[in-house]
Amino acid sequence: MRYDQATWTREDGDENAGSYEPLLAEKRSTEVTVDESPLPDDLTRESVELPDPSEPELARHYTRLSQMNYGVESGPFPLGSCTMKYNPKFTEDVAALPGAGTHPARSAASTQGTLELRHHLQTYLARIGGMDSVTLQPPAGAAGEFTGILVAKAYHEEHGNSRSEIIVPESAHGTNFASAALAGYDVVSLPSAEDGRVDVDALEAAVSDDTAALMLTNPNTLGLFERDIDEIAEIVHGAGGLLYYDGANLNALLGRVRPGDMGFDVMHYNVHKTFATPHGGGGPGAGPVGVVEEFAPYLPSPQIEERDGEYERVEPEHTIGKVHGFAGNWLVLLKTYAYIARLGDSGLTDTSAKAVLNANYLASQIEYEIPFSPFHHEFVASADRDAADVAKRMLDYGVHPPTTKWPEIVDEALMTEPTEAETKAALDQLARAFNNAADDDDEALETAPERTAAGRIDQADAARNPRLSWQTLDD
């Protein structure tokens, strides 16, 4: 029997079930007397109320909680520009091996296997990106992005170049603007051309002796490949600036095109996107940074190098210092290495092919207009009504919705990236959800979702007056 989770009433109209609430039993509590304490009276209390479930209730509580949530193991997760890949479990098994638990303060002599693996990962990532050197230290994609900009800044300062501006396309990820500003630069926003790509004329007008770098994602957030990338690189380099590659969409290019071959000087890798490590959630991440040879002396310290068959921690000559403790989040990097090693060159190339194929197949099956093409791994559809309402209604059809209302170049944007991991059946399920929402009337969209654990909320009121405990729900 399915319950309408917005009201917790049964579909069959059973009045005896009208007050059903799946976590009510688990909220039972008991009062416990507190023994004498040496703490001051104002820091103690005579009794405390604690949860009092039985073991079966406790097990069912957490099982129900897990079922009320939606994750990449529940079904498709087509958030555009997020590359929400399935996280293969074999990488967790590798990270859980006893030999992986090496303390970061151990000597190089006693951790040669760990250092060798790190060095191999540096080398493999460099080859994938067309870079000459890679640091594994940054603890997340955004942190890698910031690190890359600090490397560019150190390079300019070492060469006596006083540059104050970084150019960022207006459709870029928000972290681009934030990283540039955090590094002390003024941000110059670059408009898009009518075809959704970089406006080359606008770029020529924007560059100057103050330009430190252009930050660029390729393919861009519309899924479009920047066809003028050679000319773009020539314009930026001609002004003395650097070309920075945001690796958010690298999944579309694996084994086919390398940022270094397109003229990029610095890049960061989002291992949680391209190489299937878990997406954040407040946990550890990794955002390696690659550079061409000229910028290797400015990378964070230490770097892992091989000398006479031994692996050593080395400090680059003009290092920017540390951006994270030790050499980065080791177990995330280990999962990255395991994923790359399992797929190999041919598997990575196949990944990008299937990512592009899946996006194009899904786009061909939905009714919404897609104003910009040809796209690669993702596309941006335009909803005929409020995109947030469409997304909420898609929840009722059992799928996670796409990214909404961004990039702003598309009205009521539905930014969609299915990744290579989804089967045709999963893509068809997504397409049905899109099309069902498109066919629903305004009332259905404006009241959605109706079949989820939580119904529609007043988002403004929730932000201004948050209730952080279930005990306040009856207030």
Side-chain angles (χ1 to χ4, degrees), residues 379-400:
F379 61 87
V380 185
S382 180
D384 54 358
R385 287 166 288 181
D386 186 282
D389 287 345
V390 171
K392 289 180 174 67
R393 185 56 174 162
M394 289 180 69
L395 293 172
D396 286 334
Y397 293 111
V399 302
H400 197 286

Side-chain angles (χ1 to χ4, degrees), residues 121-130 134 136 269 275 288 336 340:
L121 181 57
Q122 287 177 184
T123 303
Y124 213 141
L125 289 175
R127 185 155 64 86
I128 288 170
V134 169
L136 305 176
Y269 305 78
F275 304 114
T336 302
I340 293 173

